[in-house]
Amino acid sequence: MPSSTPSSARPRPEPGALTVAELARAARRALPRAAWDYFRAGADGEVTLAANRRAFARWPLYPRVLVDVARCDPGLELLGARLAFPILIAPMAYQKLAHPDGELATARAAAGLGTVMVVSTLATVALEEVAAAAPGPRWFQLYVHRDRGLTRELVARARAAGYGALVLTVDAPVLGRRLADVRNGFALPPGLAMANLAGSGTEGDHFGDAARHDPSLNWRDLDWLRGIAGVPLLVKGIVRADDAARAVAAGVAGVIVSNHGGRQLDGTVAALDALPGVVAAVGGSVPVLVDGGVRWGTDVLKALALGAAAVLVGRPVLWGLAVDGEAGVARVLTLLRDELVRAMALAGCPELAAVTRDLVGG
Ligand code: FNR
């Protein structure tokens, strides 16, 4: 496949992908090779990338029967926001690589369907423009750069633009090695930039920017950040119970169990398998979210049964975006939402409060 297919010449999606996997296949056809590789890859041997998916298959469901499920409501309250369903959009860099509308399309789809988009520090649209694109609740994901002034400025900009929470990513002190990106010499194509970092000298340089992330970031910095955040602060990239307990003691408003979609430390435990230990350590004091490998509504049900307040989805959103812009993202979210509602009905859960630990075995 040529590496620079103009977006207007991309094949249209076949009408009605029924599953996330079908959308992934359509996205693969639509995307230039280097972009597909960047989105798909995990680190090194991709052991964790595969483990994230496998973990869901290992937890069987024990559906409840003879419950009135004539109405199933997947709605919830999360950190002060009312969400239509417990599936958020994970922060992901460089969305204009998937579609010319990039983050604007993702934000509109999320707002249209009533869920939260987490906007990446490495977005290709400035955070203020994403905020102006749609009215929905949204959070801002933060990478802390060596230049603390830059971080302080990003935090102030996110607050001024109405972002309801900050998500500090803590699993990327250095960049995981994704072999395809190295082989492809992955770089942002001309015309695309890290729009939030304009003027920092790092805008177009993927590996160069990652090198500016501060590998000395530590627990003391979390206190500093909480002090300047002005909005609830979540940490993303926790898999250990002791780290989760320490984050809660430091005053975070939420914990996101994640191994970065298998893109950082290869061999890390599957996100779903790390979830129960973190949930136990947090003890209900703050919401615990999880991401990594969610591809079906039943995956969401399992994560919630194991104690997650909500899940985030990553790559499926990029696949929808690549295939059909805002409508494609809306299609992914709708698919997952409808699968979840069907799974709730089939498992005897008219609302999320009924999704309890006994629904999964293992
Ligand atoms: C990511 N992820 C990510 N995380 C983050 O905190 N900041 C970021 O900028 C990015 N960028 C990014 C780009 C791409 C292409 C991918 C696939 C992922 C990680 C992301 O938020 C999430 O943790 C995983 O993607 C979840 O796994 P699944 O749903 O993709 O399996």
Side-chain angles (χ1 to χ4, degrees):
M1 190 174 290
S3 65
S4 60
T5 312
S7 56
S8 57
R10 286 180 186 164
R12 294 290 297 170
E14 68 269 60
L18 293 181
T19 65
V20 166
E22 285 175 23
L23 268 173
R25 283 195 288 277
R28 183 171 197 164
R29 288 193 295 275
L31 283 168
R33 172 68 188 270
W36 166 261
D37 282 348
Y38 170 71
F39 293 153
R40 186 210 63 81
D44 297 321
E46 302 190 335
V47 170
T48 297
L49 179 67
N52 277 349
R53 277 299 308 140
R54 259 206 317 275
F56 284 100
R58 275 204 315 273
W59 294 90
L61 288 165
Y62 287 74
R64 235 171 256 135
V65 297
L66 291 174
V67 178
D68 176 355
V69 291
R71 301 170 76 90
C72 277
D73 177 9
L76 72 158
E77 194 85 39
L78 186 63
L79 295 179
R82 182 80 209 153
L83 305 192
F85 48 89
I87 304 167
L88 290 74
I89 297 185
M92 285 174 294
Y94 310 156
Q95 296 188 12
K96 279 193 175 177
L97 263 187
H99 188 277
D101 296 342
E103 288 81 0
L104 298 174
T106 309
R108 289 182 187 124
L113 287 161
T115 191
V116 164
M117 171 189 185
V118 187
V119 178
S120 170
T121 289
L122 304 181
T124 41
V125 176
L127 65 92
E128 291 85 359
E129 279 180 64
V130 182
R138 71 189 66 75
W139 302 349
F140 185 70
Q141 176 267 330
L142 194 66
Y143 279 130
V144 173
H145 286 67
R146 291 172 200 262
D147 175 354
R148 289 301 152 91
L150 185 61
T151 302
R152 197 182 273 281
E153 203 178 299
L154 277 174
V155 170
R157 285 173 56 195
R159 201 167 60 195
Y163 285 74
L166 277 183
V167 174
L168 175 68
T169 299
V170 294
D171 59 10
V174 299
L175 194 67
R177 188 179 58 151
R178 300 141 202 171
L179 302 183
D181 291 350
V182 177
R183 292 204 180 94
N184 292 335
F186 178 74
L188 280 182
L192 295 198
M194 299 172 201
N196 290 324
L197 307 176
S200 66
T202 68
E203 306 74 339
D205 178 3
H206 171 65
F207 293 110
D209 183 71
R212 288 175 180 82
H213 293 181
D214 188 351
S216 77
L217 189 74
N218 63 65
W219 290 104
R220 280 192 305 281
D221 299 304
L222 189 64
D223 288 337
W224 167 74
L225 197 56
R226 210 172 58 83
I228 65 166
V231 290
L233 176 67
L234 295 90
V235 279
K236 170 175 180 283
I238 299 259
V239 294
R240 296 175 56 98
D242 55 358
D243 279 346
R246 190 159 180 186
V248 170
V252 300
V255 171
I256 303 178
V257 175
S258 174
N259 51 40
H260 216 107
R263 294 163 75 83
Q264 286 296 108
L265 178 64
D266 198 27
T268 297
V269 61
L272 191 72
D273 291 337
L275 177 64
V278 169
V279 166
V282 167
S285 53
V286 299
V288 176
L289 285 69
V290 65
D291 72 23
V294 173
R295 302 292 180 266
W296 295 94
T298 48
D299 296 339
V300 183
L301 192 71
K302 290 175 185 182
L304 267 51
L306 289 171
V311 304
L312 300 90
V313 286
R315 295 175 182 88
V317 169
L318 298 175
W319 297 332
L321 185 62
V323 164
D324 208 8
E326 177 187 343
V329 176
R331 183 169 334 152
V332 171
L333 292 174
T334 307
L335 268 178
L336 289 170
R337 179 200 64 196
D338 292 352
E339 287 174 3
L340 172 64
V341 170
R342 191 178 314 111
M344 288 171 67
L346 290 170
C349 301
E351 72 275 307
L352 296 184
V355 182
T356 45
R357 178 64 182 80
D358 52 289
L359 271 193
V360 289

